[in-house]
Amino acid sequence: MLKKTAIHQLSDLTSALMGKGTLVAPVREDAGFNFREISDAKQVDLNFHNTIISPKSVFFPQTEDFIRYRTGRPLQEAETVEPEGKPLILFGVRPCDVKSFEIMDIHFSCTGAVDPYWQARREAATLIGYAFDVAAPAEPEEFYQTLGIGAADPEGSDIFMVRRGDDLILKSITGKGEALLAGIEGLAGASADDGKFFDDTVAAGRNFKTRFTCVDAKAITKKLEDLFHNTDFWEKASNACLSCGVCTFACPTCYCFDICDETLFGRGTRRRVWDACMFTDFTLEASGHNPRTKVYQRLRQKIGHKYSYHVRKYGVISCVGCGRCTRHCPVGIDIFSIVEEAMKA
Amino acid sequence: MRSTNPYIPMPVEIVKITDEVDTHDIKSFRFKFLNAQDEARFQYLPGQFAELSIYGKGESPIGIASSPTEPGYVAFTVQRAGAIVPGLVTAALHDMEEGGRIGLRGPLGHPWPIEFLEKKNIVVVGGGFAFTTLRSLVTYMLHENNRSRFGDITVIYGARTPGLLCYKDELAAWEKRSDIKTIITVDKGNETWKGREGFVPAVCKDVAPSPANAVAVICGPPVMIKFTLPVFFELGFSKENILTSLEMRMKCGIGKCGRCNVGYKYVCSDGPVFSLAELEELPRDF
Amino acid sequence: MSRIGVFVCHCGLNIAKTVRVSELAEFAATLPDVVVAKDYKFMCSTPGQEMIANDIREHRLDRVIVTACSPLMHEQTFRKVLAASGLNQYLLTIVNIREQVSWVTHNIDEGTSKAKALLNGAVNRSRLLMPLTSRVIDVNPDVMVVGAGIAGIQASLELANTGRKVYLVEKNSTIGGHMAQFDKTFPTLDCSACILTPKMDSVLQHKNIQLLTSCEVSEVKGFVGNFDITIRQKARYVDHDKCNACLACTEKCPGKSVSEWDEGLAKRKAIYIPFPQAVPQKPVIDREACTFFKKGKCRLCEKVCEQKAIDFEQQDTFSTVKVGAVIVATGYDLMDTRDLIQYGYGKYPGVYNALEVERLFNSAGPTGGKVILRDGKEPQAIAILHCIGSRDKNSYEHCSRVCCMYSLKFAHLFKEKTSADVYHFYIDIRAAGKGYEEFYNRIIEEDVKFIRGKGARVAKSADEPDRLMVEAEDTITGKFIRLPVDMVVLSPAMIPRSNAKDIARLFNLSTDKQGFFMERHPKLAPLSTMSEGVFIAGVCQSPKDIPDTVAQANGAAAEALTIVVKDKMELEATTVMVNPASCCACQNCVRVCPYGAPFFKEDKGVSEINEALCKGCGLCASVCPTGAIIARHFTNDQVLAEMEGLMEF
Amino acid sequence: MAVSFQQIEEKLKTEARRLLESGQVSLVLAWGRGFDEKHPMPYVAKGASDVDGIVFNEFCTHNLARYLVRYPRGTKMAVAVKAADSRAVVQLIQEDKVKRHDLVILGIPVYGIKNPKTGEIIDGKTTCGLYNPVLYDILIAEEVHGQPVSSPYAVLAEYEAMDQDARFAFWKKELDRCIRCYACRKACPMCYCDPCFIDQNKPKWGEKSPETPGNLMYHLTRFHHLAGRCIDCGECSRACPVDIPLYLFHKKVAKECEEMFGQAAGMSIEDKPVLVNFRMEDSDKILE
Amino acid sequence: MSFEPKILGIACNWCTYTGADLAGTTRLQYPQNLRVVRVMCSSRINPSFIFRAFQLGADGVLVGGCHPGDCHYNTGNLYARRRLAVTKKILEFAGLEPGRFRVEWISASEGNKFAEVVTEFTGQIKALGPQTKFKIS
C-alpha cells in the first residue's frame, strides 16, 4: 500500500497514529532531537537528521523497574513490574536504527534467555521507518553503508517513509504495517510516479556512499582477535579516550545494563539502568579484582565486542554505522577509524 | 504468584546456617523454597550458581554448594565480601538468622559436564572457600545412585590454615570412605593439626594422579589455579580434561547485561565452567 | 539483619511529662529490626540497667538504643552495660529525648512526635554501627626536654625527681640559657647566677638526667608514648669522657673569637668554655676560630692535654632515643635591632641592646661589672628605649612583656653603679606581677626620668660629636624632645628562635603569627600542643618572665608525667581509616589534619592514617572526595541513614 | 592580530621533537589528526617518529592537562596548553598530582579557538577568557594582546538576575536532561578521583538512574568538589552530549570562591586549594 | 493544619550539642521542628549531607559549631566555615531559598542562643513554607 501526505499536514497523520497506540517520534529539544512519547501531535518534527540518543531507549529504556518493595517487610509483598504490552508506534526511524533493532532482537529475544521487557515492547510495536535524504551527502560521522545498510532501506520497517519535496510517501512493508496504514484516514493515495520515486530513493540509498569502504565482518573478527594482545595498538587507539559513556549510551546496539536497588524511606525499587563497558567499575569484582583497569582494555573490549565477539557469538557486527558514537565523542574518537587501523596493523 | 520473568527472584527461607571457618566470615546457608512450584522449577546440577537477592541491597551470584541429590533444600557457602567496605548482599546475608527470607534467582550457568565426566577418573582440586561447587560435585558423585557412573575419585583440598577448611565434618566422613581418596592439606598447620602441610600445587605434584582416562576439576583462588594448572599439564592431562570455573563480575546471570563478557562468551550463561582448552580460546580479559 | 533493642526512659516525669513514652516504645516496636522495645521509669537505675542486660541475653540483641537523657550524661553508663553483657560498647545509641525534647517543650504531641523522629533516625543509624576496639599501646616511660634554659632545666629536674629518665638536649655547649647571662633579676634584685647555677649543677649530677649538650634534634618519628627521636651530637673535638676540665688547653690556645656569651663584648679562645660556671665545664673547639682547622697546623691544645682528650677527627654523630613525651623549651632570641636603622644600633658604639647591658652589669662580664662604654668612658646620661620592635605594626605586634620590668631594673642598676642621669622613653609601663608595681614606684623614687613617648630616632649629636641624640615626642607635653646622652639602651622585641620553624616542623607544632609555638588551647591547654605528647614551656610559647617560665616548666613536667606515668595507653577508638581501594591520592586529608595523622604513602599512591595521632574529628572524611576515609562511628552511611530516619516522619 | 595556527603547529612539532629526541621527556601531550579537520584529537607523541602526527588548528579545544594524571607519577611529560589549560596544570601541581619538575609546559598563547559543535569562538563566555598561559616553560607563540577581554563572570549577569524560582526552574530543566554518561567528569582535568563518589554503593550518594534526584546529587556535589579548583576551561560543557551549560554553574561557584577567599584557581603554584585551607581572618560574612 | 516544617540540625559534640543540652537543663522552650544529628566536629559535615538533607525533604538545615578559634579540634570549624559557605552558595545558585540553610556558632554555654536561633530559624522556615524544590517526591 502506498500513501502520501503533505508535510504541513504531518500532525494529522501523527494525530491519527496517536489514536492507534502510544506514539513515539522525533521531537526537537534544547540539545537536539530525541525520540519521545508524543502527547501533542504537533510535537513531531521530521526536520531532523538523526536523534542524539538512538531509539533503542523506546524498547530498552535507560531506567526500567523490575520490582517495587518495602524494606523490612515480607518478601511476598514485593510487587513485580510486569513487561508492558501496549500498542506502540515508533515513527520516523532511520534505516540504520531500524537495523539495530534486529541486532538487539538476536541478543534480547532470540538467543538464550528471553528478556521479557524488550520482547513485550518489540512485539507490540509498529515501526515506521524514514529514509535519509539521499540527495544530500551523509554526515561525516556516518558509515552505515559500510555495514551494508542503505540510506533508504525499507527492510525491517513495517511502514517506510520517503520524503518527496513537500510530500511524505508512506509504503507498507509488512502486513502489520499495511493494517496500520489502511486504518488511517485522510491520507492521499500516491501516484505511480510517487511509487517510482520511492523505489528510486531506495535504490539511490543503496548506492549512497559513506566514508569507509566495505569490509568483511569475518576478516575484522579474526583481525581483532589476533590483535588482542597488541597492547601498543590499543594504547595508541585509546590515548585520547576519556572512558566516558557517551558512545555506549548513544549507541543503538549497546545493551549493557546494571541492576541496582534504590531505596528511600523504606520503599525500594529493583531496576535496571544502562551501564557502559567504558566505566572503570563495570568489571570491578567484589574481591577488588578488576580485569579492565586501564582505558585501553575497556576500549578494546568495546570495539572487540562490537566487531568481533558479537560476530562470533551472534553472527552479526553489533554496529549499524549511525555515527552517534563519533558525533558525540568529546575527543572525536572515531570507532570505525580504529577498525580500519586495526585492519592495517 | 509464579513469574517466568527471569529477573524476578523466588522467595526462600533460611533453614540452617553453618559457620564454616574460625574467622567467621564464611557461612553456609541452607534455603527452602516458600513456593513448591519454585522448588520444582529449580532443577540444577553441580557447578551451577544462583543470584542471592536481598531487597534494598542487591544481588550476588554464588555457586550452589548443595547437590541435587540432597533434596529439600538448596545450599550456598558465602564469604562476607570486602575487608574494608563490606559487600552489601553478603554482609546482609551474614547478619541474617535462620528463618530469615531472601530471594533466589536461578539456577544459572552451565554445570560441571556430568556426562563428560561419566566413566572417567575424577580428580577434584579445590582451595579455600572456592570449594563450594566442588563439594556439590563430590556429593553428587558419591551418591549411591551415581557412584558407579564414575571411576576413581580423588579430592585434593587445601586451605591456608586448618580453621579455614570448609565442610570439616564431611571431609572427615570422606576420609573414612574407601570409594574416594581424600587428601586435605593446609598451608600452615597448628598444634592440633595432624594432617598434611603444603600448598595445593605441591601436593598435587606429590599425589600425582594419573592422567589416564582422568579429568581434573579445579576451583580455587586465582593464585592457586595459576600454579596448579601447569602441574596437571605436566602430569599429562590434556587441556580438554582440565576443567575450572571462572569468576567475573555478573549482574543478570542470564547473558543479557553484558558485564561478564569475555571474548565471545558470557561467563554467566556460557560458563562459568570452562575447560582449559576453552579458556585458551578466549582473550585474557578476566 | 540486626536485632535491636529499644529502651525508653521516663526519667520519672522529666521525660514522661511531655513525651508519651509508652507510645514511643510501641512505635519503636513497629520499626524494622527492632526485636524488643520497652519503657521504664529510670533506665539508668540498677534495675533499669539489669533489664537492658537481661534483654541483651534473652533477645540476643546486637544493637541497643537507649532513649533517655543526653549522651553526654549517661553514654558511659550504658556502654558499660553493653560491655558487661558481651556486646561491643560502640553498638549503643543514645537518643536524647530529655535535654533536647521533653525539657524544651510543654506540648506532649510535639514532644512525642519529635522523639519518634529522633528514634527512627537512631534505629537507622544503629543498624550500620560497627563494633570498635580501641588499640592499647605501650608507653615509653622516658621524657625528652629540648632546650636547657631555665624552663628546660626546671622541667627536667621535676621529672627526674619523680624517677623518670630525662634526656635534656641543648644545642649550645653549656646549659643555662639566657638566664645565665643575667646579673640581677627583677623585682627582688637577687642574683641570677645564685639561683640558677645550683640548678645547673643538679642537672649535671642527677642520675636520671642524661645531658646532651652541643646536640640538636634532627628527626622525630613516632607519636605520643612512642617517639623515636634522632639526636645529632655536634663534633666538639674534645672527648668529654677523657677531659678532666683542667682547662690548660684554653690558656694555650692562640685562636680567638668573640664571646657569644658576652654578646660580643668580649673575646674568647677557639677552644673554650663559654663562662666559668658553664655546665658541663668542659671545653669545645670552635672550628671557625681554630688555627688548626683554618691553617692546618697548631694543635697546641692537643700538646698540652694530658688526658689526650683533643680529637680533631671527631665527626657529628647521630643516635636515636625513645621517649614517651617531649617538652619543648627552646626559648627566644632578641630581635636584631640593626634592621631598625633609626636607632643606630651597630652603627653607634654607644647604642646597646638589653642583653649586652645585662653582661655589662655582670661581675663575670666583660667589664667586671663596671658600666663603661665601648670607648672606656662612664656614661653621664643614659636613655633606655622601650618597645623597640615590639608593639610595632612594622615589626612585631606583640608586647614582649618583660622589657618594662628589666628596663626599670637597668635604671636601678645604672643608678647604683654610675652617677648618670637615666631616662626612660616608653609608651606605657606594664608592671603586672607580684611586687612589680611596687618596684616601679621604687624606681620612680630613684630619680629616674620617665618620658612618655616612644624613642623615634637615635643620631649623632650635632653639637657634641662624641655623644648621641635621642629624639622623641613627649606625648604628655606634646613637645618634641631631643635629648643628648652617652649611652642608649634598646629593649628589643623578644622573638622566636631563628630555628623555631625547624623545631615546629620536627615536632609538628603550629606557630602563631610571630612564630611562637601555638598551644592547643589558649586557656584550657596552654602547655599542650596539637602534637599529642609534645608540650611547650617558657618563652618559646610567648614572652614571659622567669616566674611564669618556671611555673610553665613545672606544669609541662606534670603534663608529660600524666602520659609517661602509665605504661599502657588507650588510643581513641573512633578514629578514621582509609579504604585504599577508594583513595584517589588527592591528599586533601594530609593537607587539612591539624594533628598530622594522615600521611601519603608515595609507593602505594594512597593515604594512610597514623591512628595514634588521630583525634576522630572527621575533618579528613568530609574533605575526602571519594569517601575513602571512613570516620569510625560517624561514617557517611551512618550519618546519611540517621538523616533519612529523622526526615521520614 | 591573527595568530597563525600553522606556525604554532610547526613550533609544537619542533619543540616536541627536540624534547623527545633529547630524552628530556618520554611523551608529549598535544593534538593530532581526527576523522576530519573539525575534529582534531588529543594525541600522545612517544617518540620522534610520532611528532609528525601533531596538528594544531582552531578546533583544538581539548584541555590536555586532563591526561597528565593518566601516566605514572614521575613520568617526564611535555604538555601543550592553552591559557585555561595551563591553569589546570597549575592546579594539578598545587594538588601534588603532578610534579612541576616532571613537566615541560608548552604554553600556547592563542585567540580564536572554536567550539567545533557551534563554530563559536571560545572566549570569556564559556572559558576563563585568558589567551596567554599563566605558567609555561616554552612559549610556542608570541603572547596575544588586544583581543576582546571581558570578565569571565560577565556571562553570569543574566543568571544572577534570575530569582530563586527561575534559577531552580532553569537548572532543573538543564540537569533533567543529563543521561549520566559522565563525559563532564571524564573531560574535566580536575576530576581525577577514582572511584568517583557517585559510583560507590556504601553509602550510595545518589541513584544511578538518570532521574532528577540522582542527577542533582551528582552535579551539585561535583560542583562542590570543583569549588575553588575549577579553572574554567569549559571542557565539561563541550563534552556534554546534551549541552548542559555546566560552565555557568562552575563559573558562579568560582566567582563566589574568588570573592570569598581572594584567590582564583590555578593561577599560582604557590597557592593552596581554598577548600582545604583557611585563614583566621575569614569572615563569618561568607556564611550569610 | 498549620505547616510544621522538618528541620535538620547537625551539631558538633563539643559546643552546639552541649549548648543544646544546656538549653534543656535551663528549660528554655523552643519549637520542636529541629531534629539534631550529632557529629564530633562541624568539619565532619560533608557538603553532600546538606544536599541529601534537602532531598530527604528537610525544609531547613541548621548547622551548629564552635565559635571560630574555639574548635575542640582547633581549626576544624575554620575549614567548615569555608566549605559550608560554598555549600550554601551552591544551593542558592541551584535555586534554594537563602533562608533555608544556616550555619551558627553556638558555644557550650550559649543555651539561650541555641534556643533563640532555633526559634527564629523555625519561624523563618515556616514563613518560607514547605521546601519542594529538592525534595524527592
Side-chain angles (χ1 to χ4, degrees), chain C residues 70 114 622 636 646 649, chain E residues 6 21 34-35 43-44 74:
Chain C
S70 170
K114 179 174 175 184
S622 74
N636 286 336
L646 293 182
F649 295 104
Chain E
K6 288 180 195 169
D21 275 0
L34 180 81
R35 290 108 192 243
S43 68
R44 172 66 190 91
N74 255 51

Side-chain angles (χ1 to χ4, degrees), chain A residues 100-162:
Chain A
S100 77
F101 298 140
E102 216 175 276
I103 294 171
M104 295 282 264
D105 283 342
I106 302 174
H107 176 72
F108 272 134
S109 17
C110 304
T111 332
V114 171
D115 185 289
Y117 298 91
W118 172 275
Q119 194 183 36
R121 288 205 187 87
R122 266 293 268 157
E123 283 173 356
T126 309
L127 222 60
I128 305 182
Y130 183 36
F132 279 115
D133 181 358
V134 293
E139 290 205 346
E141 294 88 354
E142 295 164 349
F143 55 97
Y144 40 84
Q145 184 73 23
T146 312
L147 298 162
I149 303 165
D153 280 0
E155 292 84 11
S157 295
D158 295 304
I159 297 170
F160 196 69
M161 306 189 289
V162 166

Side-chain angles (χ1 to χ4, degrees), chain C residues 373-629:
Chain C
L373 295 171
R374 286 189 172 93
D375 58 12
K377 292 183 191 147
E378 196 185 282
Q380 297 305 305
I382 303 170
I384 303 174
L385 273 50
H386 293 226
C387 300
I388 302 305
S390 299
R391 305 177 70 193
D392 180 349
K393 283 222 158 62
N394 300 318
S395 301
Y396 294 94
E397 261 188 80
H398 68 274
C399 166
S400 294
R401 226 184 115 187
V402 294
C403 338
C404 282
M405 292 311 295
Y406 73 61
S407 298
L408 294 172
K409 173 186 80 182
F410 287 168
H412 170 82
L413 294 174
F414 282 132
K415 282 289 176 194
E416 191 178 278
K417 297 200 173 203
T418 71
S419 56
D421 292 329
V422 179
Y423 300 88
H424 278 277
F425 288 82
Y426 71 103
I427 302 175
D428 46 39
I429 295 291
R430 297 188 168 179
K434 191 169 175 176
Y436 290 11
E437 185 70 10
E438 295 89 325
F439 186 68
Y440 175 32
N441 287 331
R442 175 178 160 189
I443 303 302
I444 293 174
E445 300 294 307
E446 289 178 0
D447 192 26
V448 173
K449 302 195 172 53
F450 288 85
I451 296 161
R452 204 188 79 180
K454 190 177 166 185
R457 198 166 86 100
V458 176
K460 196 169 251 185
S461 167
D463 315 327
E464 304 161 89
D466 305 349
R467 302 193 80 191
L468 296 166
M469 186 73 81
V470 176
E471 295 174 0
E473 185 195 336
D474 184 330
T475 56
I476 292 175
T477 63
K479 280 187 186 145
F480 187 73
I481 292 180
R482 296 165 65 92
L483 181 76
V485 294
D486 306 299
M487 181 179 192
V488 172
V489 179
L490 303 179
S491 302
M494 289 164 85
I495 61 169
R497 285 277 191 201
S498 55
N499 67 345
K501 279 217 155 51
D502 301 330
I503 301 281
R505 185 182 45 78
L506 282 167
F507 289 102
N508 193 26
L509 307 178
S510 337
T511 52
D512 63 18
K513 217 161 78 184
Q514 334 288 354
F516 290 112
F517 300 141
M518 280 271 275
E519 57 284 343
R520 177 177 290 175
H521 191 281
K523 294 170 185 70
L524 300 177
L527 307 174
S528 311
T529 65
M530 297 306 289
S531 279
E532 185 89 340
V534 178
F535 304 94
I536 46 177
V539 186
C540 65
Q541 183 247 357
S542 73
K544 55 181 64 70
D545 55 23
I546 294 168
D548 283 3
T549 296
V550 170
Q552 273 203 340
N554 288 346
E559 293 246 27
L561 201 57
T562 58
I563 288 175
V564 296
V565 77
K566 294 169 287 191
D567 49 354
K568 302 265 182 212
M569 192 166 129
E570 205 170 281
L571 297 178
E572 195 88 51
T574 55
T575 52
V576 301
M577 61 178 178
V578 178
N579 172 8
S582 303
C583 177
C584 70
C586 69
Q587 301 177 52
N588 277 351
C589 49
V590 181
R591 287 185 191 102
V592 297
C593 180
Y595 309 100
F599 59 98
F600 189 62
K601 286 284 269 191
E602 196 77 40
D603 52 340
K604 294 186 196 159
V606 295
S607 287
E608 291 185 1
I609 305 291
N610 184 340
E611 289 187 21
L613 298 176
C614 177
K615 299 271 168 293
C617 66
L619 167 57
C620 53
S622 74
V623 300
C624 177
T626 62
I629 295 196

Side-chain angles (χ1 to χ4, degrees), chain C residues 70-72 75 96 99-100 103-106 114 520 530 595 617 619 622 634 636 643 646-647 649, chain E residues 6 17-18 20-21 24-25 27-30 32 34-35 37-38 40 43-44 49 73-74 79 83:
Chain C
S70 170
L72 305 177
E75 191 163 50
N96 183 348
E99 281 83 347
Q100 298 193 12
W103 278 351
V104 291
T105 186
H106 294 311
K114 179 174 175 184
R520 177 177 290 175
M530 297 306 289
Y595 309 100
C617 66
L619 167 57
S622 74
F634 294 93
N636 286 336
M643 277 171 32
L646 293 182
M647 290 296 122
F649 295 104
Chain E
K6 288 180 195 169
Y17 194 87
T18 315
D21 275 0
T25 42
R27 305 298 197 277
L28 299 171
Q29 304 290 298
Y30 57 82
Q32 295 301 290
L34 180 81
R35 290 108 192 243
V37 174
R38 180 170 67 126
M40 292 315 276
S43 68
R44 172 66 190 91
F49 291 168
Y73 305 99
N74 255 51
Y79 289 103
R83 303 180 63 77

Side-chain angles (χ1 to χ4, degrees), chain E residues 105-126:
Chain E
W105 311 127
I106 300 170
S107 79
S109 61
E110 294 176 321
N112 52 346
K113 180 172 178 189
F114 183 84
E116 280 162 20
V117 166
V118 175
T119 308
E120 203 240 328
F121 189 59
T122 307
Q124 187 176 326
I125 300 298
K126 277 191 179 174

